[in-house]
Amino acid sequence: MSRPHGIPLPSAHRSSDPNETGSAFGDDRQGQPRPREGVRQLTGAERVRTLVESNASVSLTLPGALDQGEFGTGVPAARTVTPDGDVLLLVSGESAAARAAAHAQDDDLTAVIEITDVAPVSVPHRIRGRAWLAGWLTPVRGEADRAACARLLAERHPVGELLGMAEPLGAVHSGRPAWMLLRLEVGEISVDDLWGAEHVDPELLAAAEPDPMVAHETELLQHLASSHGDRMADLRGLLGTRETADLTAVPLALDRLGLRVRFTGPGPGSAFDARFDFPEPVTDVCELRRAMRTLFA
């Protein structure tokens, strides 16, 4: 599928904010090296799917809107991916996006979702990556379709956490729904993160599985950083001949394949990353605990 006409999808090789100093995208300057060839990693589609299903911050922009100041500030309350590869967005019924989509046909309202992934621990250069998904935005129409999409969203986001909403999905205020489900038919995807910059085939998004650690990563990284600093420091011994005595070690990212650690020295520009692969991919927290014990041993 080609890119919807007129959507300014950001380059996959830079941040959309040229003034961003915490970006993950200036490898050597920012101290965030790309992986060497042959390193095990998630595919681009898996990384994007994981970001969509994560708690990373997201914005929704309608490039064709006349009032960019109003339309460029949409923040969906929740999102997920359908079996067909569309992205479902839950937005306030009073939002500019909901009002524009209410009158949209299948191909006349273009939109861009930008997801920004920030490390949940304190490290230099905390932005770990960004993903952009561009396509056509329409409301989810029909009672049966809305019910199915609402169930899918609730499955991915427990109600107490997701809908922290005062009104149920079907509530109406002044003739307007309190919440609206929107569907983004994805036409183009870019990702620029700790693994590299690339365009992703939208058809691969539906088949890609989110990383099973995505729901636990924040808690686990914060726990490692706050309660197991000694274990993290021990990982300096796996760095080979590099001088390690003055390095601090902070867990930066975690997925089913391994742990990424940011090492920082006392001087400017001394930050670098090391990736520690697990013996086998993990599928749940129990397997992760065993893999971490093996790593620290």
Side-chain angles (χ1 to χ4, degrees), residues 40 213 220 224 231-232 235 238 254-260 275-297:
R40 288 190 306 175
M213 295 296 104
L220 291 168
L224 284 172
R231 290 293 188 94
M232 297 306 303
L235 295 178
L238 300 177
L254 177 71
D255 57 50
R256 70 175 185 269
L257 301 177
L259 174 70
R260 186 175 183 128
R275 171 79 176 183
F276 300 94
D277 285 347
F278 299 142
E280 298 292 337
V282 300
T283 60
D284 56 35
V285 174
C286 291
E287 291 182 8
L288 175 65
R289 290 196 186 100
R290 290 195 291 271
M292 294 297 291
R293 283 197 293 268
T294 299
L295 172 62
F296 289 132

Side-chain angles (χ1 to χ4, degrees), residues 24-287:
F25 316 109
D27 305 347
D28 297 330
R29 180 173 62 82
Q30 299 290 353
Q32 304 203 53
R34 302 300 196 193
R36 296 178 179 176
E37 291 185 9
V39 175
R40 288 190 306 175
Q41 66 182 77
L42 305 182
T43 67
E46 289 173 327
R47 287 165 15 229
V48 172
R49 178 71 186 263
T50 299
L51 283 176
V52 173
E53 303 287 0
S54 74
N55 291 323
S57 63
V58 61
S59 65
L60 174 64
T61 302
L62 308 180
L66 297 178
D67 186 347
Q68 286 299 320
E70 180 183 12
F71 282 97
T73 57
V75 180
R79 74 269 180 176
T80 193
V81 178
T82 72
D84 295 328
D86 297 334
V87 178
L88 287 179
L89 301 167
L90 180 67
V91 301
S92 166
E94 296 295 327
S95 67
R99 295 199 304 272
H103 306 289
Q105 300 304 312
D106 291 344
D107 59 359
D108 65 354
L109 182 62
T110 54
V112 179
I113 299 171
E114 179 172 349
I115 304 172
T116 303
D117 179 32
V118 180
V121 292
S122 180
V123 291
H125 320 303
R126 286 186 65 182
I127 294 182
R128 301 187 297 187
R130 286 188 174 93
W132 298 269
L133 300 93
W136 300 268
L137 194 67
T138 55
V140 176
R141 295 187 171 98
E143 276 190 43
D145 201 11
R146 280 198 298 269
C149 289
R151 283 195 300 270
L152 180 62
L153 203 61
E155 287 172 9
R156 305 278 169 76
H157 301 269
V159 170
E161 162 189 324
L162 153 74
L163 304 178
M165 315 185 300
E167 298 95 353
L169 198 54
V172 175
H173 287 166
S174 303
R176 232 181 244 287
W179 298 93
M180 182 180 286
L181 278 170
L182 305 181
R183 183 195 311 274
L184 183 77
E185 182 185 352
V186 181
E188 187 168 347
I189 302 172
S190 286
V191 62
D192 193 350
D193 60 11
L194 296 172
W195 291 109
E198 62 183 283
H199 291 279
V200 175
D201 186 340
E203 293 184 0
L204 299 178
L205 186 64
E209 290 290 334
D211 187 82
M213 295 296 104
V214 64
H216 311 287
E217 186 196 26
T218 294
E219 179 183 358
L220 291 168
L221 291 180
Q222 291 174 345
H223 177 70
L224 284 172
S226 64
S227 302
H228 295 286
D230 54 340
R231 290 293 188 94
M232 297 306 303
D234 288 344
L235 295 178
R236 296 177 301 187
L238 300 177
L239 297 178
T241 59
R242 187 189 288 265
E243 294 293 331
T244 63
D246 295 329
L247 296 177
T248 60
V250 180
L252 176 67
L254 177 71
D255 57 50
R256 70 175 185 269
L257 301 177
L259 174 70
R260 186 175 183 128
V261 178
R262 176 144 300 161
F263 293 93
T264 308
S270 61
F272 66 93
D273 291 357
R275 171 79 176 183
F276 300 94
D277 285 347
F278 299 142
E280 298 292 337
V282 300
T283 60
D284 56 35
V285 174
C286 291
E287 291 182 8

